[in-house]
Structure formats: C-alpha cells, structure tokens
Amino acid sequence: GENVEQHPSTLSVQEGDSAVIKCTYSDSASNYFPWYKQELGKRPQLIIDIRSNVGEKKDQRIAVTLNKTAKHFSLHITETQPEDSAVYFCAASRVSSNTGKLIFGQGTTLQVKP
Amino acid sequence: DGGITQSPKYLFRKEGQNVTLSCEQNLNHDAMYWYRQDPGQGLRLIYYSQIVNDFQKGDIAEGYSVSREKKESFPLTVTSAQKNPTAFYLCASSKWLGSSGANVLTFGAGSRLTVL
C-alpha cells in the first residue's frame, strides 16, 4: 500500500545552522506533498506544500524540494531559531483522486539549541 | 478554537468498554478525518469521510467505527475490539477542492485516551 518514510526521527542543531528532513514516498501517482509542524502540546499546522509540477518552493527560511524520479522530497530550514523546535511531518497525497487522503511520515523531532 | 473542536481532551476507559470521541467543525469543510498519533509512528489514518453518510476505512480501521450523519460532525468510537487503544487521537477537516486544489487539513486539539 501507500507508504511515506521520513528521516531522521530526531535532529538536533545549533541555532543558526540549517536543518534538512527527508521523505520518500511509494505511490508514484502522488502529486501533492505538504509539511506540517506540531509544536509541543499543540495541533499540527501546515507550513509549506508543493505540487508535483514544481521542483522547489521557498517561503522565507523554509524550502521544500521534490525529486519525482527518485520519489523523495525534503524540507530545508535555514538559520534555525529556537522556535523552530517541533515535530515535523511530511505527507503525500493524490489530489486527482476522489479520496484526497494524506499519508503521513513518522515525524521528525527537531531540537534547536540556543 | 480553530473552527474544529474535539472532546473530551482527556479520557480514561476500562478495558472492555467502548468510548466515543467527538469532533465538530464549523468551517463548512466537506471532508473529515481521524488520525491516531503514537510516538515514532507519525499520524496514521483511521477513517475519513468526504460527504455526509459516506466514509472509508483508513490504514488502521480495525476496532474503530465512525458515523457522518451531519456535515459538521464526525464522531469516532473506539470499541473493545481495538487491541491497543491508548493513544492521542486527532480529528481533521478539509475543504475538498478536487483535482484543482490542495487538500489542506485543519486539525483539532486532540483527545488523549488512556485505557486502564
């Protein structure tokens, strides 16, 4: 069935450094890839997403890249700050299908040390 | 509270009992979802519904049941058949935009179920 693998499970960086989280998906028909951030004790919220017709998308300090051939996509956070500390989830979906359901990765706990 | 409300926030249940988690949204969203969150396993889909009176099983539907009698409501029942029910349950909703749009989920605050 559909599957999304996410690595690493935990990531610790110094404030100001960059952080990269990678995901691999199994369903080649997936065409929508969002990233959600869940701060401690809070609900997940969308931070950035990308469609399969785009290779890269950037929003201030965060960017997402997509390699359709290899079926993987990555989240890049530059100039990390303590408030970036959270659990990050990648997901994949086929928006052309009737389901629209998102399959999530296992999550990455990012810790940014001051 | 973000337009989607889950209750109760914390729930304790004895083994062998069924329990129902409530999820209500006032966002006029078409689709609603239930996810289970366990440490190290991400968000796993239990059930989802795109329209009233219709729902589909997700990846881990065994031991759970749902109903969608109203657009605003999507309650989840955790039955005694669920082997490991202790978990954090997240409800979500989205405005289905079809093939032209993205499926952006709005999550509730979650319900933590503990089986004693």
Short mmCIF file of all heavy atoms in Angstrom, two decimals, chain A residues 2 32 34 36 38 43-46 49 51 87 89 93-107, chain B residues 1-2 4 33 35 37 40-43 45 48 50 59 88 90 96 98-105 107-109:
data_model
loop_
_atom_site.label_atom_id
_atom_site.label_comp_id
_atom_site.label_asym_id
_atom_site.label_seq_id
_atom_site.Cartn_x
_atom_site.Cartn_y
_atom_site.Cartn_z
N GLU A 2 0.19 2.38 0.09
CA GLU A 2 0.91 3.65 0.09
C GLU A 2 1.71 3.80 1.38
O GLU A 2 1.25 3.44 2.46
CB GLU A 2 -0.10 4.80 -0.05
CG GLU A 2 -0.95 4.71 -1.29
CD GLU A 2 -2.37 5.17 -1.05
OE1 GLU A 2 -2.86 5.01 0.08
OE2 GLU A 2 -2.97 5.69 -1.97
N TYR A 32 0.92 15.70 -4.49
CA TYR A 32 0.82 16.82 -3.55
C TYR A 32 1.55 16.44 -2.28
O TYR A 32 1.30 15.36 -1.70
CB TYR A 32 -0.66 17.13 -3.26
CG TYR A 32 -0.87 18.15 -2.18
CD1 TYR A 32 -0.42 19.46 -2.34
CD2 TYR A 32 -1.49 17.82 -0.98
CE1 TYR A 32 -0.60 20.40 -1.33
CE2 TYR A 32 -1.67 18.75 0.02
CZ TYR A 32 -1.22 20.03 -0.16
OH TYR A 32 -1.39 20.96 0.83
N PRO A 34 2.66 18.04 1.36
CA PRO A 34 2.68 19.09 2.38
C PRO A 34 3.61 18.73 3.54
O PRO A 34 3.93 17.57 3.75
CB PRO A 34 1.23 19.13 2.85
CG PRO A 34 0.77 17.71 2.70
CD PRO A 34 1.54 17.12 1.53
N TYR A 36 3.82 19.52 7.75
CA TYR A 36 3.12 20.04 8.91
C TYR A 36 4.09 20.15 10.09
O TYR A 36 4.97 19.31 10.25
CB TYR A 36 1.94 19.14 9.30
CG TYR A 36 0.74 19.28 8.39
CD1 TYR A 36 0.72 18.70 7.12
CD2 TYR A 36 -0.36 20.03 8.79
CE1 TYR A 36 -0.37 18.84 6.29
CE2 TYR A 36 -1.46 20.19 7.97
CZ TYR A 36 -1.46 19.59 6.71
OH TYR A 36 -2.54 19.75 5.88
N GLN A 38 4.25 20.49 14.29
CA GLN A 38 3.49 20.33 15.52
C GLN A 38 4.36 20.74 16.70
O GLN A 38 5.27 20.02 17.10
CB GLN A 38 3.00 18.89 15.69
CG GLN A 38 2.09 18.70 16.89
CD GLN A 38 1.60 17.26 17.03
OE1 GLN A 38 2.28 16.32 16.63
NE2 GLN A 38 0.40 17.08 17.59
N ARG A 43 -1.62 21.47 18.02
CA ARG A 43 -2.07 20.68 16.88
C ARG A 43 -1.15 20.90 15.68
O ARG A 43 -0.51 21.94 15.56
CB ARG A 43 -3.50 21.09 16.51
CG ARG A 43 -3.64 22.50 15.98
CD ARG A 43 -5.08 22.96 15.97
NE ARG A 43 -5.57 23.31 17.28
CZ ARG A 43 -6.84 23.57 17.58
NH1 ARG A 43 -7.75 23.49 16.64
NH2 ARG A 43 -7.20 23.90 18.79
N PRO A 44 -1.06 19.94 14.78
CA PRO A 44 -0.23 20.13 13.57
C PRO A 44 -0.80 21.24 12.70
O PRO A 44 -2.03 21.39 12.58
CB PRO A 44 -0.35 18.78 12.86
CG PRO A 44 -0.78 17.80 13.90
CD PRO A 44 -1.64 18.59 14.85
N GLN A 45 0.12 22.00 12.09
CA GLN A 45 -0.30 23.06 11.18
C GLN A 45 0.56 23.03 9.93
O GLN A 45 1.77 22.79 10.01
CB GLN A 45 -0.18 24.44 11.87
CG GLN A 45 -1.20 24.64 12.98
CD GLN A 45 -1.26 26.08 13.45
OE1 GLN A 45 -0.23 26.64 13.77
NE2 GLN A 45 -2.46 26.65 13.50
N LEU A 46 -0.07 23.31 8.81
CA LEU A 46 0.63 23.33 7.53
C LEU A 46 1.63 24.48 7.50
O LEU A 46 1.30 25.62 7.85
CB LEU A 46 -0.37 23.50 6.40
CG LEU A 46 0.21 23.59 4.99
CD1 LEU A 46 0.72 22.22 4.55
CD2 LEU A 46 -0.82 24.13 4.01
N ASP A 49 3.82 23.55 1.27
CA ASP A 49 3.46 22.40 0.46
C ASP A 49 3.96 22.59 -0.96
O ASP A 49 4.34 23.70 -1.36
CB ASP A 49 1.95 22.15 0.48
CG ASP A 49 1.14 23.36 0.02
OD1 ASP A 49 1.72 24.33 -0.51
OD2 ASP A 49 -0.09 23.34 0.21
N ARG A 51 3.42 21.00 -5.18
CA ARG A 51 2.76 20.14 -6.13
C ARG A 51 3.81 19.50 -7.02
O ARG A 51 4.93 19.99 -7.15
CB ARG A 51 1.76 20.94 -6.99
CG ARG A 51 0.63 21.57 -6.22
CD ARG A 51 -0.35 20.56 -5.69
NE ARG A 51 -0.99 19.80 -6.75
CZ ARG A 51 -2.16 20.12 -7.28
NH1 ARG A 51 -2.80 21.19 -6.86
NH2 ARG A 51 -2.70 19.37 -8.22
N VAL A 87 7.90 18.96 16.18
CA VAL A 87 7.86 17.74 15.38
C VAL A 87 7.36 18.11 13.99
O VAL A 87 6.35 18.81 13.85
CB VAL A 87 6.94 16.67 16.01
CG1 VAL A 87 6.91 15.42 15.14
CG2 VAL A 87 7.39 16.33 17.42
N PHE A 89 6.13 16.76 10.21
CA PHE A 89 5.57 15.62 9.47
C PHE A 89 5.52 15.95 7.98
O PHE A 89 5.01 17.00 7.59
CB PHE A 89 4.15 15.29 9.92
CG PHE A 89 4.04 14.81 11.34
CD1 PHE A 89 3.66 15.69 12.35
CD2 PHE A 89 4.30 13.49 11.66
CE1 PHE A 89 3.55 15.24 13.65
CE2 PHE A 89 4.18 13.04 12.97
CZ PHE A 89 3.81 13.92 13.97
N SER A 93 -0.01 12.78 -1.15
CA SER A 93 -1.42 12.59 -1.50
C SER A 93 -1.59 12.66 -3.00
O SER A 93 -0.78 13.27 -3.70
CB SER A 93 -2.26 13.68 -0.83
OG SER A 93 -3.60 13.66 -1.26
N ARG A 94 -2.68 12.06 -3.50
CA ARG A 94 -3.09 12.23 -4.89
C ARG A 94 -4.28 13.17 -4.90
O ARG A 94 -5.38 12.76 -4.53
CB ARG A 94 -3.57 10.92 -5.50
CG ARG A 94 -2.63 9.79 -5.56
CD ARG A 94 -3.33 8.67 -6.34
NE ARG A 94 -2.73 7.37 -6.11
CZ ARG A 94 -3.20 6.25 -6.66
NH1 ARG A 94 -4.26 6.31 -7.43
NH2 ARG A 94 -2.62 5.10 -6.41
N VAL A 95 -4.08 14.38 -5.29
CA VAL A 95 -5.23 15.29 -5.28
C VAL A 95 -6.18 15.04 -6.44
O VAL A 95 -7.29 15.56 -6.47
CB VAL A 95 -4.79 16.77 -5.32
CG1 VAL A 95 -4.10 17.14 -4.03
CG2 VAL A 95 -3.91 17.07 -6.50
N SER A 96 -5.77 14.24 -7.41
CA SER A 96 -6.65 13.95 -8.54
C SER A 96 -7.62 12.83 -8.22
O SER A 96 -8.54 12.59 -8.98
CB SER A 96 -5.83 13.58 -9.77
OG SER A 96 -5.02 12.46 -9.49
N SER A 97 -7.42 12.15 -7.12
CA SER A 97 -8.30 11.04 -6.77
C SER A 97 -9.50 11.55 -6.00
O SER A 97 -9.55 12.69 -5.59
CB SER A 97 -7.56 10.01 -5.94
OG SER A 97 -7.39 10.49 -4.62
N ASN A 98 -10.44 10.70 -5.79
CA ASN A 98 -11.62 11.09 -5.02
C ASN A 98 -11.37 11.10 -3.53
O ASN A 98 -12.17 11.61 -2.77
CB ASN A 98 -12.79 10.14 -5.32
CG ASN A 98 -13.33 10.36 -6.71
OD1 ASN A 98 -13.29 11.48 -7.21
ND2 ASN A 98 -13.81 9.32 -7.34
N THR A 99 -10.26 10.51 -3.11
CA THR A 99 -10.05 10.39 -1.67
C THR A 99 -9.41 11.65 -1.10
O THR A 99 -9.87 12.17 -0.10
CB THR A 99 -9.16 9.20 -1.34
OG1 THR A 99 -7.85 9.42 -1.89
CG2 THR A 99 -9.72 7.92 -1.92
N GLY A 100 -8.35 12.11 -1.71
CA GLY A 100 -7.65 13.26 -1.16
C GLY A 100 -6.98 12.98 0.15
O GLY A 100 -6.54 13.89 0.83
N LYS A 101 -6.89 11.73 0.57
CA LYS A 101 -6.34 11.44 1.88
C LYS A 101 -4.84 11.63 1.88
O LYS A 101 -4.16 11.40 0.90
CB LYS A 101 -6.69 10.01 2.30
CG LYS A 101 -6.07 8.93 1.44
CD LYS A 101 -6.42 7.55 1.97
CE LYS A 101 -5.74 6.48 1.14
NZ LYS A 101 -6.03 5.12 1.65
N LEU A 102 -4.34 12.09 3.02
CA LEU A 102 -2.91 12.29 3.20
C LEU A 102 -2.31 11.11 3.93
O LEU A 102 -2.84 10.66 4.94
CB LEU A 102 -2.65 13.56 4.01
CG LEU A 102 -2.95 14.90 3.34
CD1 LEU A 102 -2.69 16.04 4.32
CD2 LEU A 102 -2.12 15.09 2.10
N ILE A 103 -1.19 10.63 3.43
CA ILE A 103 -0.40 9.60 4.12
C ILE A 103 0.80 10.31 4.73
O ILE A 103 1.59 10.92 4.00
CB ILE A 103 0.05 8.49 3.16
CG1 ILE A 103 -1.16 7.87 2.46
CG2 ILE A 103 0.83 7.43 3.93
CD1 ILE A 103 -2.16 7.22 3.39
N PHE A 104 0.93 10.21 6.04
CA PHE A 104 1.99 10.93 6.74
C PHE A 104 3.21 10.06 6.99
O PHE A 104 3.12 8.83 7.13
CB PHE A 104 1.47 11.43 8.09
CG PHE A 104 0.58 12.63 8.01
CD1 PHE A 104 -0.79 12.48 7.81
CD2 PHE A 104 1.10 13.91 8.11
CE1 PHE A 104 -1.62 13.59 7.73
CE2 PHE A 104 0.28 15.03 8.03
CZ PHE A 104 -1.08 14.86 7.83
N GLY A 105 4.36 10.72 7.08
CA GLY A 105 5.57 10.07 7.53
C GLY A 105 5.56 9.93 9.04
O GLY A 105 4.63 10.37 9.72
N GLN A 106 6.63 9.35 9.58
CA GLN A 106 6.68 9.02 11.00
C GLN A 106 6.97 10.22 11.89
O GLN A 106 6.85 10.14 13.11
CB GLN A 106 7.73 7.94 11.26
CG GLN A 106 7.41 6.61 10.60
CD GLN A 106 7.90 6.53 9.16
OE1 GLN A 106 8.27 7.53 8.55
NE2 GLN A 106 7.88 5.33 8.62
N GLY A 107 7.41 11.31 11.29
CA GLY A 107 7.70 12.51 12.07
C GLY A 107 9.17 12.65 12.42
O GLY A 107 9.87 11.65 12.61
N ASP B 1 -11.49 28.24 18.60
CA ASP B 1 -10.51 27.17 18.74
C ASP B 1 -10.16 26.57 17.39
O ASP B 1 -10.09 25.38 17.22
CB ASP B 1 -11.08 26.09 19.67
CG ASP B 1 -9.97 25.31 20.37
OD1 ASP B 1 -8.81 25.72 20.25
OD2 ASP B 1 -10.28 24.31 21.00
N GLY B 2 -9.95 27.44 16.39
CA GLY B 2 -9.55 26.98 15.08
C GLY B 2 -10.68 26.45 14.26
O GLY B 2 -10.50 26.01 13.14
N ILE B 4 -12.45 23.78 14.69
CA ILE B 4 -12.68 22.35 14.81
C ILE B 4 -12.44 21.96 16.27
O ILE B 4 -11.38 22.23 16.82
CB ILE B 4 -11.82 21.53 13.82
CG1 ILE B 4 -12.11 20.04 13.93
CG2 ILE B 4 -10.36 21.84 13.94
CD1 ILE B 4 -11.58 19.23 12.76
N TYR B 33 -11.51 13.69 8.91
CA TYR B 33 -10.57 12.59 9.07
C TYR B 33 -10.31 12.32 10.55
O TYR B 33 -10.36 13.24 11.38
CB TYR B 33 -9.21 12.95 8.42
CG TYR B 33 -9.30 13.46 7.02
CD1 TYR B 33 -9.63 14.79 6.76
CD2 TYR B 33 -9.01 12.64 5.94
CE1 TYR B 33 -9.70 15.28 5.46
CE2 TYR B 33 -9.07 13.11 4.64
CZ TYR B 33 -9.41 14.43 4.41
OH TYR B 33 -9.48 14.91 3.12
N TYR B 35 -7.14 10.63 12.76
CA TYR B 35 -5.79 10.10 12.78
C TYR B 35 -5.45 9.67 14.20
O TYR B 35 -5.91 10.27 15.18
CB TYR B 35 -4.76 11.14 12.33
CG TYR B 35 -4.75 11.40 10.85
CD1 TYR B 35 -5.53 12.41 10.29
CD2 TYR B 35 -3.93 10.66 10.00
CE1 TYR B 35 -5.51 12.65 8.92
CE2 TYR B 35 -3.89 10.90 8.63
CZ TYR B 35 -4.68 11.90 8.10
OH TYR B 35 -4.66 12.14 6.76
N GLN B 37 -2.14 9.21 16.72
CA GLN B 37 -0.73 9.61 16.83
C GLN B 37 -0.09 8.83 17.96
O GLN B 37 -0.51 8.93 19.11
CB GLN B 37 -0.60 11.13 17.08
CG GLN B 37 0.83 11.60 17.12
CD GLN B 37 0.97 13.10 17.19
OE1 GLN B 37 0.02 13.82 17.46
NE2 GLN B 37 2.16 13.61 16.93
N GLY B 40 6.82 8.05 17.45
CA GLY B 40 7.64 7.35 16.47
C GLY B 40 6.87 6.73 15.31
O GLY B 40 7.49 6.13 14.42
N GLN B 41 5.54 6.90 15.29
CA GLN B 41 4.76 6.30 14.20
C GLN B 41 4.01 7.32 13.38
O GLN B 41 3.24 6.96 12.50
CB GLN B 41 3.80 5.25 14.77
CG GLN B 41 4.49 4.09 15.46
CD GLN B 41 3.57 2.92 15.70
OE1 GLN B 41 2.98 2.39 14.77
NE2 GLN B 41 3.44 2.52 16.94
N GLY B 42 4.20 8.55 13.67
CA GLY B 42 3.55 9.58 12.87
C GLY B 42 2.05 9.62 13.07
O GLY B 42 1.53 9.27 14.12
N LEU B 43 1.37 10.04 12.04
CA LEU B 43 -0.09 10.15 12.06
C LEU B 43 -0.65 9.06 11.15
O LEU B 43 -0.41 9.06 9.94
CB LEU B 43 -0.53 11.53 11.56
CG LEU B 43 0.05 12.72 12.31
CD1 LEU B 43 -0.36 14.02 11.63
CD2 LEU B 43 -0.41 12.72 13.75
N LEU B 45 -3.91 7.07 9.56
CA LEU B 45 -5.30 7.34 9.22
C LEU B 45 -6.21 6.20 9.66
O LEU B 45 -5.99 5.04 9.30
CB LEU B 45 -5.42 7.57 7.71
CG LEU B 45 -6.79 7.95 7.17
CD1 LEU B 45 -7.25 9.29 7.75
CD2 LEU B 45 -6.74 8.01 5.65
N TYR B 48 -11.95 8.20 7.17
CA TYR B 48 -12.18 9.52 6.61
C TYR B 48 -13.52 9.54 5.89
O TYR B 48 -14.06 8.49 5.50
CB TYR B 48 -11.05 9.95 5.67
CG TYR B 48 -10.81 9.05 4.49
CD1 TYR B 48 -11.27 9.42 3.23
CD2 TYR B 48 -10.11 7.86 4.62
CE1 TYR B 48 -11.04 8.61 2.14
CE2 TYR B 48 -9.88 7.04 3.53
CZ TYR B 48 -10.33 7.43 2.29
OH TYR B 48 -10.11 6.61 1.21
N GLN B 50 -15.79 12.02 3.02
CA GLN B 50 -15.79 13.17 2.12
C GLN B 50 -17.15 13.83 1.99
O GLN B 50 -17.24 14.99 1.61
CB GLN B 50 -15.28 12.75 0.74
CG GLN B 50 -13.80 12.44 0.75
CD GLN B 50 -13.25 12.21 -0.62
OE1 GLN B 50 -13.21 11.08 -1.09
NE2 GLN B 50 -12.82 13.27 -1.27
N ASP B 59 -5.89 3.24 7.13
CA ASP B 59 -4.92 2.17 7.25
C ASP B 59 -5.07 1.31 8.50
O ASP B 59 -4.64 0.17 8.54
CB ASP B 59 -3.50 2.76 7.22
CG ASP B 59 -3.24 3.52 5.93
OD1 ASP B 59 -3.64 3.02 4.86
OD2 ASP B 59 -2.66 4.62 6.00
N PHE B 88 -3.12 9.16 21.30
CA PHE B 88 -3.60 10.52 21.08
C PHE B 88 -4.33 10.52 19.74
O PHE B 88 -3.78 10.09 18.73
CB PHE B 88 -2.39 11.47 21.05
CG PHE B 88 -2.75 12.92 21.03
CD1 PHE B 88 -3.50 13.48 22.04
CD2 PHE B 88 -2.33 13.73 19.99
CE1 PHE B 88 -3.83 14.83 22.03
CE2 PHE B 88 -2.64 15.08 19.97
CZ PHE B 88 -3.40 15.63 20.99
N LEU B 90 -6.38 12.53 16.77
CA LEU B 90 -6.54 13.84 16.13
C LEU B 90 -7.61 13.77 15.05
O LEU B 90 -7.60 12.89 14.20
CB LEU B 90 -5.23 14.29 15.47
CG LEU B 90 -4.17 14.87 16.40
CD1 LEU B 90 -2.82 14.90 15.70
CD2 LEU B 90 -4.55 16.26 16.85
N TRP B 96 -12.64 20.23 0.34
CA TRP B 96 -12.19 19.45 -0.81
C TRP B 96 -12.28 20.29 -2.07
O TRP B 96 -13.34 20.74 -2.46
CB TRP B 96 -13.03 18.19 -0.95
CG TRP B 96 -12.71 17.37 -2.15
CD1 TRP B 96 -13.55 16.99 -3.14
CD2 TRP B 96 -11.42 16.85 -2.50
NE1 TRP B 96 -12.89 16.26 -4.08
CE2 TRP B 96 -11.59 16.15 -3.72
CE3 TRP B 96 -10.15 16.90 -1.91
CZ2 TRP B 96 -10.53 15.50 -4.35
CZ3 TRP B 96 -9.10 16.25 -2.54
CH2 TRP B 96 -9.29 15.57 -3.74
N GLY B 98 -10.99 19.25 -5.02
CA GLY B 98 -10.87 18.38 -6.17
C GLY B 98 -9.49 18.41 -6.76
O GLY B 98 -8.51 18.77 -6.11
N SER B 99 -9.39 18.08 -8.01
CA SER B 99 -8.09 17.94 -8.65
C SER B 99 -7.40 19.27 -8.87
O SER B 99 -6.24 19.33 -9.22
CB SER B 99 -8.23 17.21 -9.98
OG SER B 99 -9.11 17.93 -10.83
N SER B 100 -8.12 20.36 -8.66
CA SER B 100 -7.52 21.67 -8.93
C SER B 100 -6.86 22.27 -7.71
O SER B 100 -6.20 23.30 -7.79
CB SER B 100 -8.59 22.64 -9.43
OG SER B 100 -9.58 22.82 -8.43
N GLY B 101 -7.04 21.65 -6.58
CA GLY B 101 -6.52 22.28 -5.38
C GLY B 101 -5.80 21.32 -4.47
O GLY B 101 -5.73 20.13 -4.73
N ALA B 102 -5.27 21.84 -3.42
CA ALA B 102 -4.56 21.04 -2.43
C ALA B 102 -5.50 20.67 -1.30
O ALA B 102 -6.50 21.34 -1.06
CB ALA B 102 -3.38 21.82 -1.88
N ASN B 103 -5.19 19.62 -0.62
CA ASN B 103 -6.01 19.15 0.47
C ASN B 103 -5.38 19.60 1.79
O ASN B 103 -4.64 18.86 2.42
CB ASN B 103 -6.10 17.62 0.42
CG ASN B 103 -7.16 17.09 1.34
OD1 ASN B 103 -8.08 17.80 1.71
ND2 ASN B 103 -7.02 15.84 1.74
N VAL B 104 -5.67 20.83 2.21
CA VAL B 104 -5.08 21.39 3.42
C VAL B 104 -5.92 21.00 4.62
O VAL B 104 -7.11 21.32 4.68
CB VAL B 104 -4.97 22.91 3.32
CG1 VAL B 104 -4.37 23.48 4.59
CG2 VAL B 104 -4.13 23.30 2.10
N LEU B 105 -5.31 20.32 5.56
CA LEU B 105 -6.02 19.86 6.75
C LEU B 105 -5.97 20.88 7.86
O LEU B 105 -4.92 21.48 8.12
CB LEU B 105 -5.42 18.55 7.26
CG LEU B 105 -5.41 17.34 6.33
CD1 LEU B 105 -4.93 16.11 7.07
CD2 LEU B 105 -6.78 17.10 5.74
N PHE B 107 -6.53 20.78 11.85
CA PHE B 107 -6.62 19.79 12.92
C PHE B 107 -7.31 20.34 14.15
O PHE B 107 -7.25 21.54 14.45
CB PHE B 107 -5.21 19.33 13.31
CG PHE B 107 -4.58 18.36 12.37
CD1 PHE B 107 -3.81 18.82 11.30
CD2 PHE B 107 -4.75 16.99 12.52
CE1 PHE B 107 -3.23 17.93 10.41
CE2 PHE B 107 -4.16 16.09 11.64
CZ PHE B 107 -3.40 16.56 10.58
N GLY B 108 -7.93 19.41 14.89
CA GLY B 108 -8.42 19.74 16.22
C GLY B 108 -7.27 19.65 17.21
O GLY B 108 -6.14 19.30 16.85
N ALA B 109 -7.57 19.93 18.48
CA ALA B 109 -6.54 19.94 19.52
C ALA B 109 -6.21 18.53 20.02
O ALA B 109 -5.24 18.35 20.74
CB ALA B 109 -6.97 20.83 20.67
#
